Amino acid sequence: QVQLVESGGGLVQPGGSLRLSCAASGTIGDNWRMGWYRQSPGNQREFVAVIPARGDTVYGDAVKGRFTISKDSAQKTVYLQMNSLRPDDTGVYYCHFQAYPTWKSYWGRGTQVTVSS
């Protein structure tokens, strides 16, 4: 089993920044990927970004150029630096984890991000 603990959400004004973090614990090997999805009321869960233990990061079109995902592999922690936030970035942000060999999906409980003046 894998446990995910998210932190860093909150209220920010348009144009502001927030940094989310997600720490994974449990039985984890060296071949994994972690990322973020978000969901706002009335909408489906949307892909934000993913970073593998080895390889390139991938971003959703809505956040390219504004968000940056990074990792601390030793701590099995990923970060999402969100800049130039807009009201449509508002939602619950969920950490997502998968690992070899099953690539089973694990989800965090979510952290609320609200962008409003």
Side-chain angles (χ1 to χ4, degrees):
Q1 287 292 329
V2 173
Q3 294 78 43
L4 303 174
V5 177
E6 302 139 326
S7 62
L11 172 65
V12 64
Q13 292 187 340
S17 298
L18 280 176
R19 188 191 195 210
L20 307 182
S21 64
C22 176
S25 61
T27 303
I28 300 171
D30 293 331
N31 190 0
W32 49 265
R33 54 182 177 242
M34 292 178 68
W36 296 91
Y37 286 72
R38 66 186 183 186
Q39 189 168 20
S40 56
N43 293 315
Q44 292 186 337
R45 195 166 291 191
E46 175 188 25
F47 169 73
V48 175
V50 65
I51 187 166
R54 294 181 293 274
D56 296 330
T57 59
V58 179
Y59 294 92
D61 288 341
V63 307
K64 283 180 182 176
R66 300 186 298 122
F67 292 11
T68 302
I69 190 169
S70 60
K71 67 179 186 284
D72 180 335
S73 294
Q75 299 298 321
K76 301 295 190 293
T77 299
V78 295
Y79 306 94
L80 186 68
Q81 179 65 43
M82 304 185 293
N83 298 328
S84 302
L85 283 161
R86 310 184 304 220
D88 61 0
D89 292 315
T90 295
V92 179
Y93 283 66
Y94 296 93
C95 183
H96 180 244
F97 176 91
Q98 293 177 302
Y100 176 89
T102 66
W103 302 107
K104 174 183 176 181
S105 284
Y106 294 90
W107 294 94
R109 290 187 172 185
T111 184
Q112 177 70 44
V113 171
T114 302
V115 184
S116 175
S117 55

